[in-house]
Amino acid sequence: MNLITNSMTNFMIARPKLKYIFFGGKGGVGKTVMAGAAALWAAKQGKKTLLASTNPVHSLSSLLEQDVFGKPAVVCDENKCYAFEIDTKDTIERSKNEIREKINWFLKFADISANAGEFVETATMNPAFEESAMFENMMDLIFKDEYDFYVFDTAPTANARRLLGMSKVYSLWVNKMLKSRDEAKSLRELLSFSRKKEKDPLLDYLLNFKERMDCSKKLLTDANLTSFFFVTLPESLPIAVITRFISWFHEFGIPVGGVIVNGLIQKNQVEKGTAEFVLNRIKMQDSHMEKIRDLFGDNVRAIVPLFETEIKGAKMLNRTIEHLFKYC
């Protein structure tokens, strides 16, 4: 059964301006492997490429058999391929310090005598705070524009969706804050005897933040620049997860590049005496591949087989490239 009508290779060739690609899906389906293979492939095409992990539970260093935590490093002996695991702890601490600084300034501006620490704890206890900090770090990498091509290995899909949807959430929040801030500033000026215009660093910060979020949203919803690929195994739960989340991504206007099927057992490996366990797995996968065809049709970009060993290091990533970017 040939599912692929528009392969990953053809998809990329048809979008020469594509610069930011993301891999997501249920945990344990091979997102990091596909992201690693895609980054190595892009570097081999002559593009200076950054492979970055926004997943708090990093696994890039294990995949690449090289420490890439905290700062970009050349990987797989490919001089244009860099990898980087974002230091979540450092990112969160920096975000807390920035919030503390802004709250301290606001309390002073409003003549409120209170401990900023309590406000900071309240603001950073939100479950989405870590994701928003990671989003900020991801956008820092993008806006620095030091690479020709970016590949992001994201957290399991639910988190990734919130991570990428953060630009829309931030924009709504900032617009509300700007309106409130502007009203407060006008009232303060009316009540003041002084005609001297006061500096307002908090308002400046919000305006800069809004501009940054507008740029993020524009970039992440541009189908010429950005694509999100879902990775699934030929099993019911991963398929159900990405089916649900693809529609959510459409709600945020994030371009979906397609679906990668990972871990398909090759039937040419079957011979007389093959274990019944393997035959049963093949039968199960056949059933789920039919479902994948029905659900995703022309959006299946590649089918990567189940290898005889785990995928680690440059040699296995190059074998993965042969299937992920197969010409067909």
Side-chain angles (χ1 to χ4, degrees):
M1 175 171 59
N2 184 17
L3 271 179
I4 302 170
T5 56
N6 186 15
S7 69
M8 189 76 170
T9 307
N10 290 337
F11 183 89
M12 302 288 266
I13 290 172
R15 291 162 181 77
K17 292 182 179 177
L18 199 63
K19 189 168 181 176
Y20 314 102
I21 65 172
F22 299 79
F23 286 87
K26 187 178 176 297
V29 297
K31 298 184 295 293
T32 304
V33 168
M34 297 308 149
L40 195 54
W41 176 84
K44 289 175 183 292
Q45 310 309 304
K47 296 180 178 179
K48 184 182 177 185
T49 303
L50 179 66
L51 166 62
S53 169
T54 62
N55 189 342
V57 185
H58 296 300
S59 48
L60 273 187
S61 290
S62 297
L63 171 72
L64 301 167
E65 298 181 317
Q66 183 179 340
D67 183 8
V68 295
F69 182 77
K71 63 179 181 180
V74 172
V75 294
C76 298
D77 293 326
E78 192 68 44
N79 64 8
K80 292 199 174 197
C81 192
Y82 295 78
F84 175 35
E85 288 178 337
I86 296 173
D87 185 343
T88 311
K89 189 177 176 183
D90 178 63
T91 298
I92 290 172
E93 198 52 43
R94 274 194 288 115
S95 293
K96 279 187 177 182
N97 288 336
E98 286 176 10
I99 288 175
R100 184 177 292 107
E101 184 183 318
K102 298 294 179 302
I103 289 177
N104 272 328
W105 187 91
F106 175 77
L107 292 175
K108 186 179 176 184
F109 176 83
D111 293 326
I112 297 174
S113 176
N115 182 2
E118 295 176 4
F119 290 94
V120 173
E121 284 305 311
T122 303
T124 57
M125 286 295 285
N126 188 313
F129 179 75
E130 185 173 308
E131 284 156 10
S132 65
M134 293 298 282
F135 178 82
E136 281 286 284
N137 211 320
M138 183 185 80
M139 296 314 301
D140 280 344
L141 289 174
I142 288 176
F143 289 149
K144 281 182 183 174
D145 200 25
E146 294 175 335
Y147 298 85
D148 304 320
F149 198 73
Y150 294 79
V151 181
F152 289 97
D153 171 29
T154 69
T157 304
N159 293 341
R161 173 233 177 193
R162 286 204 296 271
L163 181 73
L164 296 181
M166 204 65 75
S167 61
K168 185 174 181 178
V169 175
Y170 270 164
S171 293
L172 292 172
W173 176 78
V174 169
N175 284 334
K176 195 171 181 179
M177 286 293 293
L178 275 173
K179 188 179 175 186
S180 301
R181 186 70 191 149
D182 202 39
E183 288 172 356
K185 188 182 176 188
S186 299
L187 184 61
R188 185 182 174 93
E189 286 173 356
L190 281 174
L191 294 174
S192 174
F193 292 109
S194 173
R195 293 297 174 193
K196 186 180 176 182
K197 292 284 183 185
E198 286 186 279
K199 287 186 178 179
D200 191 340
L202 188 57
L203 186 60
D204 292 343
Y205 167 78
L206 288 173
L207 286 170
N208 287 333
F209 193 67
K210 181 178 185 303
E211 185 181 351
R212 183 180 165 86
M213 286 305 106
D214 288 344
C215 288
S216 302
K217 185 179 176 184
K218 187 176 178 183
L219 186 149
L220 293 175
T221 55
D222 186 340
N224 291 315
L225 292 173
T226 302
S227 272
F228 196 103
F229 295 94
F230 288 94
V231 183
T232 185
L233 300 175
E235 297 176 9
S236 57
L237 286 181
I239 294 170
V241 166
I242 68 170
T243 302
R244 187 163 60 249
F245 284 109
I246 281 177
S247 65
W248 288 5
F249 271 61
H250 286 152
E251 287 176 19
F252 279 107
I254 298 167
V256 175
V259 172
I260 312 296
V261 182
N262 186 29
L264 186 69
I265 300 172
Q266 299 298 282
K267 290 183 179 175
N268 58 13
Q269 300 292 316
V270 176
E271 55 188 17
K272 189 177 180 181
T274 295
E276 187 177 352
F277 166 79
V278 177
L279 296 175
N280 285 338
R281 296 291 298 185
I282 290 174
K283 188 176 177 183
M284 177 203 74
Q285 288 192 342
D286 279 347
S287 170
H288 290 307
M289 289 303 286
E290 288 284 354
K291 191 170 184 179
I292 286 171
R293 183 179 63 181
D294 292 342
L295 287 171
F296 308 120
D298 293 339
N299 290 316
V300 177
R301 300 281 169 254
I303 299 173
V304 179
L306 179 67
F307 292 106
E308 72 282 358
T309 182
E310 67 177 320
I311 301 174
K312 289 181 76 174
K315 182 179 177 182
M316 288 305 294
L317 280 175
N318 278 301
R319 283 186 65 188
T320 305
I321 287 174
E322 291 175 13
H323 297 274
L324 184 57
F325 291 94
K326 191 174 182 179
Y327 283 94
C328 56

